[in-house]
Amino acid sequence: MFNDLVSENIPMGVILTQDGRILYLNDWGCRFIGYSMDDLKNSPFINLIHPDDQDLLIQRYQNIMAGREQSADSCYRIFSKQGETFWIRFRSKVVQHEGKPALMSFMMDETSGKRQEESLKRSEERYRELVDNLAEMIVVIKGGEICFVNKRLKEEVGMDLQGLGGMSFLEFIHPEDRDMVLDRYLRRIKGEQVPACYDVRLIKPDGQELTCEIRVSLISWEGEPATQTAILDISARRQAEKEKLALEKRLARIEKMESLGLLAGGIAHDFNNILFPIIAISEMLMEDLSPESQEYGNALEIYNAGLRGGDLVKQILSFSRQQDDEKIPVQVQSVLHEVLKLIRSTLPSDIEVIQDIEDNCCAILANPGQIHQVAMNLLTNAYHAVEPSSGTIQVSLRESALNGNQSLRYAVLTITDSGVGIRSEYMDKLYEPYFTTKEAGKGTGLGLAVVYGIIKDHGGDIRIRSEVNKGSTVDVFFPLIGDVASTPSDLPEDYQARGSERILLVDDELPVAKLGHKMLERLGYQVISFTSSAEALDAFQKDPQAFDLVITDMNMPGITGDQLAETLIALRPDIPIIMCTGFSERISPETAKEIGIKGFLMKPVIKSSLSQEVRRLLDQATRVS
Ligand code: ADP
Ligand code: MG
């Protein structure tokens, strides 16, 4: 009676099982799990237990029944009738019931404690996750020892609590930064004011150096003062900043070159007009004088000096890049000769340069300054390659059809050196900007990148073959232009074609017009010249059949040369027209062709080319008609 009174009122569960079956569960126990005694009587106790805990239950049960344990104290999850899970602690003891051993247990609810424990564990995991996945690396240092590192720090630097073998955090710091870091650490721990953010170089165990930005704060770790440091690897950012700076410098240099180019172009225009009378008048003087006389010699000197001046202007202009999109017919051979002249003077004499340049190679459509740069960059590379042990550089230029297709003809520039060669693993990288194997100051890695860009811009191609220690061969292909007229250069210089046809000459500058007039008259032609394009047009309109050929300047006030040409051709489609252009006032061959301009002369115009171009066009016209 008294027993029942106690067990029915005690605020905990009391359960008696025998052979695994429930014999008795007190009132508290029944209410707690929601079953009545009738439901439970003789049912297997294990059915109430969460499947994950059943193995443990069986093991403890066997132990206690075999006498290996006097009493058992274990926590299991049990299911209530409503399907809820509770954590129950069972304190069990073997008792005798009706002459057989049975198990009597007290049941205590530990659910809320367990739930708290679990949620604490979960929240700890969440925080750990957050800290591990921060972009920053985190380390906590207490008493000079590392007591916490997040996952990122472990992975990226290899700093870990385990396996450090008593390594101090200082060993991860660049030797030059150690004193500063230690000093700040000690002062911070003492409570002194020290900068919270600064840059530090870290050294990974494999020796790699990282530039990092760190932010340190004083915290309490397990009740003692410690520092928490957030570390951000800024190596990539620093590198990008460096590259940006280099690019900006390069850009500034390019801009400077461009304004120089503009300036040079402007000067060249005027300078060409100054050179023109010098060349033309000395040429005429020579005609009037006897070649034996001293005066003839003097005039020849002036003439030659004038030509040299013209060459110089061209050379300056090919350096100072003109507008990139401006392409004109260019003879690669002339550019090559210029570049070779320039580079020859800088090469040591034990480096042999072999030239095999086809001098009547057709013109390509190009920006001469850029072709100059291509040749210069490739020759510089060849020079660097042969420099260590001297050797030969071979430069060849020839015309070739690609893949036997005669309509696709190319000017092929080949530069071969007997130098160090290129390792096969570098072949893919050669054209990348900043790829260089050369020491600082010698190579920037931009040479081939620029070459590649220019060649692609010209519709060409480049191939590089190489063998280490044997040398390299670079082939550059530029598509040739078809039938665009260029100044014939294969005639003897003193050849002066003459004639008596009627020529209309237009140039806005009086001295130029006058000189041209005189030159043509001396060649036998009948000339009418104008300094106003409008007046010239007037004269032509009055009688389009009165002229056999027109020579016009390009840049003129009012009606420009191309506009004039277009109008004249509209009036008389078969009229041959020669356009005189300076270096900076070009007309593209497509436009010229579209308009119907058949001839070109480059300023300053010398008499031999003038006579030849005039004759060529007139002869062409008679053949056609
Ligand atoms: P840079 O000459 O400034 O290094 P480039 O873009 O001109 O840059 O060339 C890139 C790299 O290609 C060079 O550093 C070199 O390793 C390799 N290279 C180019 N031309 C040759 C050559 N003729 N012989 C050997 N190596 C070459
Ligand atoms: Mg180079």
Side-chain angles (χ1 to χ4, degrees):
M1 254 332 274
F2 178 69
N3 285 355
D4 283 351
L5 191 68
V6 172
S7 64
E8 286 309 317
N9 289 298
I10 194 168
M12 66 170 74
V14 180
I15 188 167
L16 186 70
T17 60
Q18 192 167 48
D19 300 328
R21 288 178 187 277
I22 300 170
L23 296 184
Y24 167 78
L25 177 65
N26 75 341
D27 197 38
W28 187 93
C30 284
R31 265 188 286 117
F32 192 80
I33 59 175
Y35 289 102
S36 71
M37 202 45 230
D38 291 341
D39 295 334
L40 295 171
K41 187 99 186 166
N42 283 324
S43 69
F45 172 61
I46 202 157
N47 286 356
L48 293 177
I49 305 295
H50 190 288
D52 289 353
D53 295 347
Q54 289 178 356
D55 284 350
L56 180 66
L57 173 83
I58 293 165
Q59 197 194 336
R60 304 303 299 262
Y61 179 76
Q62 286 169 346
N63 279 349
I64 198 163
M65 294 314 281
R68 284 193 289 269
E69 282 177 41
Q70 283 303 304
S71 64
D73 185 338
S74 318
C75 212
Y76 308 115
R77 276 163 290 179
I78 69 170
F79 292 122
S80 72
K81 190 174 182 179
Q82 288 75 30
E84 271 182 279
T85 312
F86 295 100
W87 282 95
I88 303 287
R89 180 168 296 282
F90 288 84
R91 289 233 167 91
S92 314
K93 195 173 170 356
V94 181
V95 294
Q96 291 297 316
H97 178 68
E98 293 176 350
K100 283 201 312 189
L103 201 63
M104 188 171 83
S105 312
F106 292 106
M107 299 159 61
M108 280 147 289
D109 178 17
E110 292 207 344
T111 308
S112 67
K114 277 285 185 190
R115 286 202 178 134
Q116 249 170 24
E117 205 177 284
E118 269 187 353
S119 87
L120 194 66
K121 212 169 110 195
R122 267 204 304 278
S123 103
E124 248 174 31
E125 273 168 10
R126 268 204 306 275
Y127 276 111
R128 163 72 67 164
E129 187 102 325
L130 278 176
V131 173
D132 275 345
N133 290 313
L134 280 177
E136 289 157 318
M137 302 176 266
I138 306 279
V139 59
V140 174
I141 296 163
K142 188 182 76 173
E145 275 173 23
I146 300 167
C147 46
F148 173 85
V149 293
N150 72 343
K151 198 165 100 209
R152 203 169 287 278
L153 187 56
K154 268 183 229 164
E155 286 171 358
E156 284 181 23
V157 184
M159 202 187 277
D160 201 347
L161 293 182
Q162 282 96 41
L164 281 178
M167 256 174 104
S168 148
F169 72 93
L170 283 175
E171 284 169 60
F172 288 94
I173 293 172
H174 192 287
E176 287 169 21
D177 293 348
R178 270 179 207 163
D179 287 348
M180 181 245 320
V181 172
L182 184 62
D183 175 63
R184 289 189 178 173
Y185 171 75
L186 295 173
R187 283 166 49 201
R188 193 185 314 278
I189 290 286
K190 272 194 247 160
E192 285 180 37
Q193 280 295 324
V194 277
C197 292
Y198 51 99
D199 288 357
V200 162
R201 286 164 294 173
L202 295 190
I203 303 289
K204 292 168 57 163
D206 65 8
Q208 197 196 330
E209 185 182 315
L210 300 180
T211 306
C212 296
E213 191 178 85
I214 67 169
R215 198 156 28 83
V216 195
S217 40
L218 195 60
I219 58 165
S220 153
W221 187 266
E222 289 162 353
E224 287 173 51
T227 59
Q228 175 199 296
T229 308
I231 307 167
L232 198 60
D233 179 3
I234 54 166
S235 310
R237 196 205 299 166
R238 279 288 140 83
Q239 185 61 29
E241 279 166 5
K242 255 191 227 160
E243 276 165 19
K244 186 167 165 249
L245 207 70
L247 267 176
E248 277 170 359
K249 269 195 200 151
R250 202 173 105 71
L251 198 65
R253 209 163 48 231
I254 290 171
E255 277 174 357
K256 197 168 97 187
M257 287 303 288
E258 246 159 36
S259 47
L260 266 178
L262 276 178
L263 187 69
I267 293 173
H269 175 82
D270 295 342
F271 199 57
N272 269 339
N273 284 336
I274 295 169
L275 282 174
F276 181 59
I278 296 176
I279 294 170
I281 295 176
S282 53
E283 222 175 3
M284 276 185 242
L285 278 174
M286 278 148 61
E287 276 172 28
D288 295 342
L289 295 165
S290 129
E292 285 79 39
S293 67
Q294 198 190 340
E295 288 83 359
Y296 181 92
N298 291 343
L300 184 64
E301 291 286 330
I302 299 172
Y303 177 73
N304 283 335
L307 288 186
R308 273 206 304 281
D311 274 353
L312 190 68
V313 171
K314 271 188 214 147
Q315 199 156 317
I316 293 168
L317 281 167
S318 61
F319 270 127
S320 57
R321 279 223 226 149
Q322 297 291 303
Q323 283 104 308
D324 286 355
D325 50 353
E326 245 181 349
K327 297 197 177 75
I328 54 163
V330 171
Q331 287 186 313
V332 183
Q333 56 270 38
S334 335
V335 178
L336 268 185
H337 286 307
E338 251 172 53
V339 175
L340 283 165
K341 223 190 303 176
L342 267 170
I343 201 156
R344 186 64 266 190
S345 56
T346 61
L347 288 185
S349 56
D350 58 345
I351 294 176
E352 195 189 351
V353 180
I354 303 166
Q355 300 181 27
D356 175 16
I357 294 168
E358 211 172 273
D359 268 319
N360 44 15
C361 188
C362 273
I364 65 169
L365 196 57
N367 177 315
Q370 292 188 329
I371 302 306
H372 192 281
Q373 198 172 2
V374 167
M376 201 69 189
N377 289 2
L378 295 180
L379 278 165
T380 307
N381 281 350
Y383 163 46
H384 285 156
V386 296
E387 196 185 15
S389 56
S390 83
T392 55
I393 299 175
Q394 244 170 299
V395 182
S396 89
L397 179 76
R398 58 181 199 287
E399 268 186 36
S400 167
L402 207 62
N403 307 328
N405 182 344
Q406 288 303 321
S407 63
L408 281 180
R409 292 189 66 79
Y410 286 83
V412 187
L413 165 65
T414 303
I415 296 179
T416 303
D417 66 70
S418 63
V420 293
I422 304 167
R423 282 159 56 176
S424 58
E425 65 261 39
Y426 293 156
M427 291 307 278
D428 288 346
K429 299 208 179 84
L430 297 178
Y431 307 113
E432 282 176 18
Y434 302 112
F435 174 75
T436 181
T437 57
K438 294 169 193 171
E439 69 217 44
K442 194 166 185 187
T444 57
L446 289 171
L448 286 175
V450 167
V451 165
Y452 185 85
I454 293 176
I455 290 169
K456 287 291 156 191
D457 185 42
H458 284 79
D461 207 352
I462 177 168
R463 308 275 157 80
I464 300 183
R465 291 165 279 154
S466 185
E467 215 175 309
V468 174
N469 293 330
K470 292 248 167 69
S472 315
T473 297
V474 183
D475 289 309
V476 174
F477 304 84
F478 288 108
L480 295 176
I481 29 178
D483 54 352
V484 173
S486 57
T487 318
S489 58
D490 46 357
L491 290 168
E493 249 179 51
D494 57 354
Y495 169 80
Q496 299 208 329
R498 307 173 67 84
S500 58
E501 285 90 342
R502 299 154 304 166
I503 296 176
L504 175 65
L505 175 73
V506 197
D507 196 307
D508 61 313
E509 289 189 47
L510 186 62
V512 178
K514 260 187 175 164
L515 263 171
H517 191 116
K518 249 192 219 167
M519 276 160 94
L520 287 164
E521 264 181 359
R522 279 173 176 249
L523 291 167
Y525 296 104
Q526 306 165 49
V527 190
I528 296 182
S529 59
F530 291 96
T531 51
S532 145
S533 40
E535 279 172 28
L537 178 58
D538 245 21
F540 191 86
Q541 261 167 339
K542 277 194 189 115
D543 184 4
Q545 298 303 329
F547 303 99
D548 302 306
L549 179 110
V550 177
I551 302 176
T552 175
D553 187 24
M554 172 68 196
N555 252 12
M556 291 183 293
I559 307 170
T560 59
D562 48 342
Q563 290 165 344
L564 179 66
E566 217 170 343
T567 324
L568 299 186
I569 289 167
L571 288 167
R572 203 187 127 186
D574 65 335
I575 184 79
I577 297 180
I578 296 175
M579 180 73 72
C580 299
T581 61
F583 203 95
S584 55
E585 46 187 42
R586 292 179 205 123
I587 174 165
S588 83
E590 286 99 30
T591 323
K593 219 173 150 185
E594 228 170 77
I595 299 175
I597 297 168
K598 299 201 180 73
F600 281 101
L601 280 173
M602 188 82 141
K603 286 178 159 186
V605 177
I606 55 169
K607 203 163 159 193
S608 58
S609 41
L610 174 72
S611 63
Q612 284 157 30
E613 191 68 351
V614 167
R615 204 55 260 160
R616 184 177 75 83
L617 256 66
L618 286 170
D619 292 348
Q620 207 176 40
T622 34
R623 264 204 309 280
V624 172
S625 57

